[in-house]
Amino acid sequence: MSIPCAILMTESRNAASTNIDTLSTLEMLTVINEEDKKVALAVELTLPAITQAVDLISAAFQQKGRLIYCGAGTSGRLGILDSSECPPTFGTPAEQVTALIAGGHEAILKAVENAEDNPQAGKFDLQNINFTKNDILVGIAASGSTPYVIGAMHYAKSIGAQVISLNCNPGSMMSKISDVDICVVVGPEVLSGSSRLKAGTAQKLILNMLSTGAMIRTGKVFGNLMVDVQATNAKLVERQKKIVVAATDCRREQAEKALLQCAGHCKTAIVMILTNTDANQASALLTENNGYIRQAINK
């Protein structure tokens, strides 16, 4: 059962925007902007919980587990956005970070409002992707009470998986179920109940941290460079060359030659140049060191 809207912080009225419909356009936007400024500070307060979550996700990745996001409406779409960016950014298999949304594919582009009310659907969707105890579930819902997400969380817990909650209402049902509770308190929205605003912004910032932090921890980043980026278009081919040059301080021509010799595998090209080895040797060094460049070049 959902918690009644009357006691949800995200559903309450914001005193700062009570008369927003009477303001000039600039005044209206100023109110929205002032409220948005509060979001990053609210996220900062949850850093200890985010840290726990990143460490859990990283450990799961090391054991070939997956990160599964689960949400409805805006929350589900934000999960899809974050998961879909992982393969091109970090060179991950598509299944390593996956997102489920109440109502399925149709709900990505069009609201399927009643879909979130079925807790069994959350369970079934996890079963359909063969969710196991080695995977991590992140339930996303501003209210902390979405039945679809709660159903998925209960199922994940029942099979021994670790469960993370990302919500915006203290003391919610999701908070109570989870192993790690990321409750980011952004307060009432500028438009009462429109959790696509501050709550959605906070969720996006935290999802950025979860996926990026876990990828850094598992060797997908060298310095601050995306060394596993997949060159799927002309822009990314160029980015790969710039990454190799930045990581090794080599000439562009040397970067191009190394990338050509290792079939465009950015990490291998970097190790080749930094250790003065060929593609096969560099690849072997990376394999021996679980894909971590820093360990590979210090051998």
Side-chain angles (χ1 to χ4, degrees):
M1 292 289 292
S2 296
I3 299 173
C5 290
I7 65 173
L8 293 179
M9 186 177 297
T10 50
E11 298 286 339
S12 57
R13 294 192 71 185
N14 189 327
S17 61
T18 303
N19 298 313
I20 197 168
D21 61 326
T22 68
L23 303 179
S24 70
T25 302
L26 178 58
E27 290 170 332
M28 170 187 70
L29 297 177
T30 299
V31 170
I32 295 172
N33 184 237
E34 287 299 316
E35 289 298 308
D36 285 344
K37 290 177 184 177
K38 300 174 182 178
V39 175
L41 296 176
V43 171
E44 182 180 7
L45 296 176
T46 69
L47 286 177
I50 298 171
T51 299
Q52 293 179 54
V54 167
D55 288 343
L56 281 180
I57 296 165
S58 303
F61 284 170
Q62 297 284 14
Q63 300 300 317
K64 307 302 181 185
R66 297 172 295 172
L67 168 60
I68 310 298
Y69 294 134
C70 175
T74 297
S75 297
R77 295 183 194 102
L78 288 170
I80 290 168
L81 174 61
D82 194 71
S83 66
S84 65
E85 293 289 350
C86 288
T89 305
F90 299 110
T92 57
E95 65 273 10
Q96 184 173 340
V97 184
T98 303
L100 303 173
I101 184 169
H105 189 270
E106 180 185 358
I108 298 173
L109 299 177
K110 187 173 84 171
V112 183
E113 296 296 349
N114 293 333
E116 69 175 59
D117 295 330
N118 184 356
Q120 286 299 310
K123 172 184 175 179
F124 293 150
D125 283 351
L126 285 183
Q127 290 175 328
N128 285 338
I129 62 168
N130 298 314
F131 184 88
T132 75
K133 66 179 182 180
N134 297 321
D135 299 323
I136 298 280
L137 178 68
V138 178
I140 314 168
S143 68
S145 62
T146 303
Y148 172 80
V149 179
I150 289 173
M153 293 174 70
H154 275 305
Y155 174 71
K157 292 282 288 184
S158 75
I159 64 170
Q162 296 286 325
V163 174
I164 298 163
S165 168
L166 174 51
N167 70 88
C168 300
N169 279 289
S172 70
M173 180 62 70
M174 284 172 53
S175 295
K176 295 172 183 175
I177 298 170
S178 61
D179 297 292
V180 177
D181 178 36
I182 305 172
C183 181
V184 53
V185 182
V186 295
E189 299 286 5
V190 168
L191 302 181
S192 300
S194 183
S195 55
R196 70 185 183 86
L197 298 174
K198 289 190 298 183
T201 300
Q203 289 172 335
K204 180 65 172 75
L205 291 175
I206 292 170
L207 292 173
N208 286 348
M209 289 186 181
L210 294 181
S211 57
T212 304
M215 295 301 172
I216 293 171
R217 282 280 160 263
T218 51
K220 298 290 186 180
V221 173
F222 179 56
N224 62 355
L225 301 172
M226 300 183 297
V227 290
D228 257 327
V229 65
Q230 298 295 294
T232 54
N233 58 42
K235 178 187 74 175
L236 295 179
V237 168
E238 184 63 24
R239 180 178 294 170
Q240 274 197 333
K241 296 173 186 176
K242 290 179 179 178
I243 287 171
V244 174
V245 169
T248 65
D249 199 28
C250 73
R251 300 186 313 278
R252 177 183 173 89
E253 295 76 17
Q254 190 177 2
E256 291 174 340
K257 181 179 178 182
L259 284 164
L260 185 63
Q261 291 174 345
C262 66
H265 191 257
C266 204
K267 287 168 89 169
T268 302
I270 291 168
V271 174
M272 287 170 64
I273 294 168
L274 292 179
T275 60
N276 194 28
T277 54
D278 63 25
N280 289 334
Q281 292 169 321
S283 180
L285 281 171
L286 283 167
T287 299
E288 290 168 15
N289 291 279
N290 300 310
Y292 289 86
I293 290 178
R294 206 168 291 281
Q295 284 91 322
I297 64 176
N298 287 327
K299 277 293 186 178

